[in-house]
Amino acid sequence: MTYRVCFVCTGNICRSPMAEAVFHARVAEAGLDDLVEADSAGTGGWHEGEGADPRTLAVLAENGYDLDHTARQFQQSWFSRLDLVVALDAGHLRALRRLAPTERDAAKVRLLRSYDPAADSGDLDVPDPYYGGRDGFGECLEMVEAASTALLAAVREQVEGRAA
């Protein structure tokens, strides 16, 4: 059975597609492609149908990541097919938990940086780089990469637990 993860930010053109691309790479490196699927969405539909921000694509490409992406808005009905919903900041976390139809679904929502053992527990947000310069996209990538190793370990544990 496939384990499904969805990364969620505001418009689904910067942070969440970046997290999706990095996590895809980690999943592939771990040989879990057949067991884990990841995608992304936004809490809003402002950019639905658009590609990722060019700065996101440039930073990803410079760091060896591929991304084929079309923005979309997260839908409440997706909770039933997802195992984990990864929010990129506390505002997304609150919005997604409010949207969740059940307590069980709300419990599926976690902050990405909660998986980074070096992150400051008082500030687990991945800042939105959209209105800033290109440096913000690099910083975003660093935060995403830092959390992705432990996130993959947590997902691997869940996947292996299903097989047991």
Side-chain angles (χ1 to χ4, degrees), residues 66-87:
D66 293 321
L67 179 65
D68 180 20
H69 178 74
T70 303
R72 61 200 185 130
Q73 184 174 1
F74 189 90
Q75 301 297 313
Q76 183 181 49
S77 62
W78 297 356
F79 275 106
S80 64
R81 68 173 176 81
L82 292 169
D83 297 290
L84 181 63
V85 180
V86 183

Side-chain angles (χ1 to χ4, degrees), residues 20-36:
E20 175 188 350
V22 170
F23 193 66
H24 271 294
R26 297 293 181 271
V27 167
E29 291 164 5
L32 297 173
D33 308 69
D34 295 340
L35 301 172
V36 179

Side-chain angles (χ1 to χ4, degrees), residues 11-14 16-18 20 39-41 47 49-53 57 67-72:
N12 192 219
I13 60 170
C14 297
S16 59
M18 189 177 286
E20 175 188 350
D39 58 21
S40 63
H47 298 286
E50 296 177 19
D53 186 291
L57 295 172
L67 179 65
D68 180 20
H69 178 74
T70 303
R72 61 200 185 130

